[in-house]
Amino acid sequence: MTDNIKTLPLIPLRGIVIFPEMIIHFDVGRSKSILALEEAMLKEQKVFLVAQKEAKIEEPDREDINLVGTVCNIKQILRLPGDTVRVLVEGENRAKIIKYNKEEPYFEVDIEVLEEENMEDKKIQALTRKVKKVFSEYVRLSEIIPMEAIINLEDMENSGELADIILSYVPLKQNKKQELLETYELTKRLEKLLYVLNNELEIAKIENKIGTKVKNNIDKVQKEYYLKEQLKAIQEELGEEDDINKDIEAYKRKITKMKLPKEAKEKVMYELKKLERNGNYSPESNVVRTYLDWVLDLPWNKKTNDTIDIKKAREILDKEHYGLNEVKDRIIEYLAVKKVSNSIKGPILCLVGPPGVGKTSIAKSVAHAVNRNFVRMSLGGVRDEAEIRGHRRTYVGAIPGRIIYGMKKAKSKNPLFLLDEIDKMSNDFRGDPADALLEVLDDEQNSTFRDHYLELDFDLSNVLFITTANRLDTIPRPLLDRMEIIEVSGYTSEEKYHIATNHLIKKALEEHNIKDKTITFSDSAIYTIIENYTRESGVRELERKISAMVRKAITEMLEKNKEKINITSTIVSKYLGPQIYTYDTAEKEDKIGVVKGLAWTGYGGDTLPVEVSVMEGNGKLQLTGQLGDVMVESAKTAYSYVRANAALYHIDGSFYKDKDLHIHVPEGAVPKDGPSAGVTMATAIVSALSGKKVKHNVAMTGEITLTGRVLPIGGLKEKSLAAYRAGINTVIIPKENEKDINKIPKSVQKKLKFIAVDKIQQVLENALVGEMNNGN
């Protein structure tokens, strides 16, 4: 399959033809189209949109659908009442259907993307200039298209894109638009477009001429009276007079009741007059209605009353979350300061931690504690600034950004607004969404936040913003500077046990409508699920496994007529199959060149064994195990240190000439990176070259320098838990990490002996069997 051949879900459109570069929203109500839309969201958010030959056909088959359509990128989806979905798309390329793969439960087709050759010869240049000139004249005469359309097209150099954008503005019948969409050759398309524009221009000139003649013959009062009477008569004939008058009166009552800010009131009154003047069937009337609905649905003056009760807040946090004491303490301090200072302003809290540890639910609990409405906005994958600030109204199908949408959903001007996954934003040619968030999260600027669609100042200074992230290194520095970081670390097995017994099991039983004590879990069963069927820092997978156990238990009760089931570790193995995960265990004997390191991953802590083998050779250093750049540099640093200090450890100083070293980190399919394996590699190299064995009950972590200094690392809590699970009783850590030992659970601290070092000589003293000449 070539790059131009793609397989995409297809949605047939009624009465709409979409061109490349066109941004438009439309409603999807047919079940097949909704299924195709859901499939498209799973496949790079691409969908193929084609117009039906006859709009009146409710359930079209392949004969009722045109062959040529447009590949579109889905920008936004909004679910409306009544099983209808509103979709915002952006056209990308023309494409032609090659074959239908399936028609049920939705259309899926193979398409050929038609990439036109933009041959800028003299004829195309001449046609392009003529098209621009005629379109400019048409816009000036027509009241349908805004003048901004001319400005947007002036600097456009690509003739094909220019033609498609102009076609999206010009009101044409569907069959004419489809004909122009199917015209691949650029010269012919420009010629047809020029013919269409000249025809529309002539019509516009005649309308203008009639308008001028009427204007010259009727004075102002007569003109207004005549036009109003004429409009009234037309509306009576169409049966819409009552409807539009009722709508306008409803808008006016709403405006009066809302007490809008001065700027907003002036703007909506101007738009209301435009609606009254244009009538129901003007192409612009729906645009005006949509704008008015957005402005009037926003909570300009609605607020909820804060009830910051510190004792109640503590009770809610303790009830809804187990552990996380440091996080709870910081949030309680945050609320206490707000209560005493009676100030809205304060730092933006950023909860940072692995997936599934409860960052989002903590934010919900804070909203519950302070009696604020909760609204969540996911920033994962957002790469367009317009997602935050909205699209300007000059674009077809423009809508506000997600901030304004969130405020509308919150229904109050002081909600708790959660910006989820702030570390997963990206940027492209359409702008950087992080730049737009700088204004949103700055309490000196956000009182006058201006959405491109509304073009009105909206006050966000009363909003309590909380953000979440899995990591900090991908958050832009200016944005990070506006936030206060609160680390939410992973849970220990003991904490997961309490979360399961106090929350997850009860939740699963309630969801499946099971009474208490009908299905029970033994302690051993819970620990078996935690340690052998999940490997994560949070509890999402644990929750899924518990739900799976409950479902299987229900099935067994019904099949075997049992009234109760007590789930034990044996039943866990029966329901969930063989153990998925087994933790690395400590070696049973001392070995040469094999050292147990400690690592931190997105799933929590783990052991990281390092093996070094010495062979006859010519001084080559080989590294395997899918090591990242930083880890490779750590290995080279450790190698250079040992080579520079070989005499101190009774190592032949010429080993780099006649010995090859192979450093391997097992589980080669798993990528590994980071500097904290430096001391582990240095110890393994010294052991392999000196012939001294490494103690099997020792694990270590720390970064090494060329001078033998041991530098601090992160994730000590998770790494210590990994050592504890592996049966290791001695952990060597950097001296500067001693302060982090108090973050480790007491039950784990009692089982481990921590040795704090600041030089590699101290590591070797405690890790190698026998005496070691350390030197100075």
Side-chain angles (χ1 to χ4, degrees), residues 126-149:
L127 284 168
T128 303
R129 290 181 185 177
K130 187 67 176 175
V131 164
K132 280 186 178 180
K133 182 179 178 183
V134 175
F135 181 68
S136 299
E137 291 180 26
Y138 173 67
V139 171
R140 290 188 181 94
L141 286 174
S142 171
E143 294 183 357
I144 299 173
I145 303 172
M147 292 297 294
E148 289 85 353

Side-chain angles (χ1 to χ4, degrees), residues 354-367:
V357 294
K359 300 184 293 297
T360 302
S361 60
I362 287 173
K364 286 183 180 178
S365 296
V366 174

Side-chain angles (χ1 to χ4, degrees), residues 247-443:
D247 289 347
I248 290 170
E249 288 302 316
Y251 279 129
K252 285 181 178 178
R253 286 195 300 271
K254 203 169 184 180
I255 292 167
T256 304
K257 185 179 179 181
M258 287 185 67
K259 298 180 181 178
L260 295 168
K262 183 180 178 182
E263 182 191 17
K265 186 173 183 179
E266 290 175 354
K267 181 72 173 174
V268 295
M269 292 305 295
Y270 170 77
E271 295 291 333
L272 199 58
K273 288 179 181 177
K274 192 191 294 185
L275 177 65
E276 191 173 7
R277 184 171 61 249
N278 291 339
N280 254 353
Y281 288 94
S282 166
E284 198 178 359
S285 64
N286 284 335
V287 176
V288 174
R289 286 175 186 273
T290 303
Y291 179 81
L292 288 171
D293 289 339
W294 269 106
V295 174
L296 298 178
D297 283 345
L298 289 175
W300 295 92
N301 296 300
K302 295 178 182 177
K303 291 178 70 175
T304 55
N305 295 321
D306 287 352
T307 55
I308 302 179
D309 185 332
I310 301 303
K311 291 182 180 179
K312 180 185 175 186
R314 173 76 75 177
E315 289 174 3
I316 290 172
L317 289 172
D318 286 339
K319 180 182 177 183
E320 297 180 359
H321 296 86
Y322 181 85
L324 304 175
N325 293 325
E326 289 185 21
V327 180
K328 292 176 185 176
D329 290 343
R330 182 61 191 89
I331 289 172
I332 293 297
E333 291 168 10
Y334 177 76
L335 297 176
V337 171
K338 278 192 172 294
K339 181 175 179 66
V340 172
S341 63
N342 198 24
S343 170
I344 299 298
K345 296 181 180 179
I348 309 298
L349 298 183
C350 180
L351 306 176
V352 180
V357 294
K359 300 184 293 297
T360 302
S361 60
I362 287 173
K364 286 183 180 178
S365 296
V366 174
H368 182 197
V370 298
N371 190 37
R372 288 198 179 198
N373 295 338
F374 176 80
V375 61
R376 172 184 170 271
M377 178 177 119
S378 176
L379 294 170
V382 172
R383 57 183 180 179
D384 186 355
E385 184 187 359
E387 294 271 357
I388 307 297
R389 291 188 182 276
H391 298 85
R392 298 191 183 279
R393 291 175 66 196
T394 51
Y395 291 103
V396 177
I399 54 174
R402 294 193 184 189
I403 296 294
I404 291 299
Y405 178 79
M407 295 305 296
K408 175 186 174 183
K409 185 179 177 183
K411 297 181 180 178
S412 67
K413 65 181 295 185
N414 64 333
L416 188 148
F417 205 127
L418 177 67
L419 300 173
D420 214 358
E421 297 179 330
I422 200 169
D423 58 324
K424 293 181 177 60
M425 288 187 299
S426 56
N427 60 76
D428 59 15
F429 64 93
R430 289 168 291 194
D432 190 345
D435 293 340
L437 280 180
L438 290 176
E439 179 187 0
V440 174
L441 298 180
D442 191 335
D443 55 16

Side-chain angles (χ1 to χ4, degrees), residues 647-690:
L648 294 176
Y649 307 117
H650 305 293
I651 296 171
D652 182 2
S654 62
F655 76 86
Y656 66 92
K657 296 179 182 178
D658 53 16
K659 303 289 184 186
D660 286 349
L661 259 69
H662 186 162
I663 301 177
H664 177 64
V665 182
E667 295 188 31
V670 181
K672 310 165 190 74
D673 205 2
S676 63
V679 295
T680 311
M681 291 180 171
T683 304
I685 292 171
V686 172
S687 171
L689 290 170
S690 67

Side-chain angles (χ1 to χ4, degrees), residues 665-715:
V665 182
E667 295 188 31
V670 181
K672 310 165 190 74
D673 205 2
S676 63
V679 295
T680 311
M681 291 180 171
T683 304
I685 292 171
V686 172
S687 171
L689 290 170
S690 67
K692 289 185 176 293
K693 293 183 177 181
V694 181
K695 295 176 182 177
H696 68 277
N697 62 332
V698 172
M700 60 187 67
T701 181
E703 182 178 354
I704 188 176
T705 69
L706 283 173
T707 59
R709 290 173 55 227
V710 178
L711 303 182
I713 46 81

Side-chain angles (χ1 to χ4, degrees), residues 53 86 249 262 328 535 621 751:
K53 294 176 182 176
R86 180 160 294 173
E249 288 302 316
K262 183 180 178 182
K328 292 176 185 176
R535 179 169 287 184
L621 175 64
K751 300 288 185 180

Side-chain angles (χ1 to χ4, degrees), residues 41 80 98 111 118 138 152 160 186 255 259 333 383 405 463 496 509 570 618 625 628 688 715 759 766:
M41 293 304 293
L80 303 176
I98 297 174
I111 61 169
N118 189 25
Y138 173 67
N152 293 338
L186 184 54
I255 292 167
K259 298 180 181 178
E333 291 168 10
R383 57 183 180 179
Y405 178 79
V463 179
K496 288 181 182 179
L509 294 176
T570 305
N618 55 9
K759 293 182 180 179
N766 290 283

